[in-house]
Amino acid sequence: MAEAAILRVQHCEAAIFCRRVPERCPACGRPLRGAGLSAAPVRLPCPFRHGHRQPRAFLLRPTAGTFLGGYDGSSDLHVGITNSNGVVYNYNEEGIHRAETGWEQCISIPLVQPDMFGLLQQWDQLLEEFSVGEAWLPHRYEEHAHNCYTYALAFINSVLSAQGKRQMSKSEFTEKFVIPQTKKASKYITLHQELTANDFYIVPLPGQQKQC
């Protein structure tokens, strides 16, 4: 079942997050209708995507459960790479998997730009050939040193090398591409959890943004 959207309204020097906009401000009790443009509801973009609909992308999801289904912010995460049809190639202690389900709520980072015509055509072949390498046999798996992230980043770097581009370290890729997305996801998860327990979540605005 799809989660209800999260909406934001500004009033009483605060951002009011909710699932359904109330007739009156929960902070001051005044009507929100006619309160001006700042009080108009804005729908927050959801940071999660259906992974099997994200071709040629780096995906990130909890190893167990979903981001909006009880994720506590510290549980293990799993990553994979999609082919052009949304099949998720991922590596664990059982070796390489080609998953057609199970990645319906992910953080998605596109890896190929629309103008990269050659790579668009070759992507599936490159991914399949890379994934049958001996490095990704089950017995080579090691939880901390040779894992799903190792596999995904090694494939990305193999593509970069084939294009004559500089490879990226794990920390560089994480800082540049993953952390900006996980920060957005963390804020959204917090709001989701608050609105699961309460009708509203009210956050005071910094002085320069105060509206009423």
Side-chain angles (χ1 to χ4, degrees):
M1 182 177 176
E3 299 290 342
I6 296 178
L7 306 174
R8 183 186 67 224
V9 175
Q10 290 188 19
H11 201 259
C12 279
E13 303 180 346
I16 301 165
F17 297 94
C18 53
R19 300 287 190 187
R20 297 179 62 183
V21 179
E23 292 187 3
R24 295 180 176 275
C25 173
C28 70
R30 285 180 287 174
L32 288 176
R33 185 185 296 273
L37 186 60
S38 65
V42 176
R43 178 173 178 159
L44 269 60
C46 180
F48 306 116
R49 299 288 179 267
H50 192 304
H52 301 290
R53 298 173 186 165
Q54 309 296 316
R56 309 175 193 90
F58 175 97
L59 301 183
L60 179 72
R61 68 162 173 80
T63 301
T66 64
F67 281 116
L68 297 180
Y71 179 66
D72 61 7
S74 61
S75 301
D76 289 343
L77 296 172
H78 192 44
V79 304
I81 304 282
T82 53
N83 70 5
S84 60
N85 296 311
V87 176
V88 185
Y89 284 63
N90 60 102
Y91 177 61
N92 65 11
E93 63 274 8
E94 298 174 352
I96 294 293
H97 299 265
R98 297 162 181 81
E100 297 184 16
T101 61
W103 296 72
E104 289 78 17
Q105 191 182 98
C106 304
I107 292 172
S108 175
I109 300 169
L111 296 174
V112 183
Q113 300 302 318
D115 60 349
M116 297 179 176
F117 301 113
L119 193 52
L120 290 171
Q121 298 298 321
Q122 299 174 355
W123 187 263
D124 288 0
Q125 180 182 350
L126 293 172
L127 183 56
E128 179 63 32
E129 290 178 352
F130 179 83
S131 300
V132 298
E134 290 189 5
W136 316 117
L137 291 173
H139 72 275
R140 297 290 301 277
Y141 182 85
E142 204 287 316
E143 184 178 359
H144 301 292
H146 194 77
N147 53 29
C148 59
Y149 205 129
T150 311
Y151 162 76
L153 184 59
F155 173 69
I156 292 169
N157 277 327
S158 74
V159 173
L160 290 173
S161 292
Q163 295 180 304
K165 297 180 180 178
R166 184 178 62 84
Q167 296 190 8
M168 286 187 287
S169 66
K170 179 179 179 179
S171 60
E172 183 182 6
F173 182 82
T174 301
E175 184 174 345
K176 185 175 181 180
F177 295 104
V178 178
I179 290 178
Q181 299 299 324
T182 55
K183 284 183 176 179
K184 294 177 185 177
S186 178
K187 292 178 181 178
Y188 195 91
I189 290 170
T190 297
L191 292 172
H192 169 78
Q193 292 172 343
E194 289 287 344
L195 294 176
T196 298
N198 306 287
D199 290 335
F200 309 104
Y201 181 56
I202 302 174
V203 180
L205 288 170
Q208 68 272 20
Q209 296 182 23
K210 291 184 177 181
Q211 303 278 351
C212 194

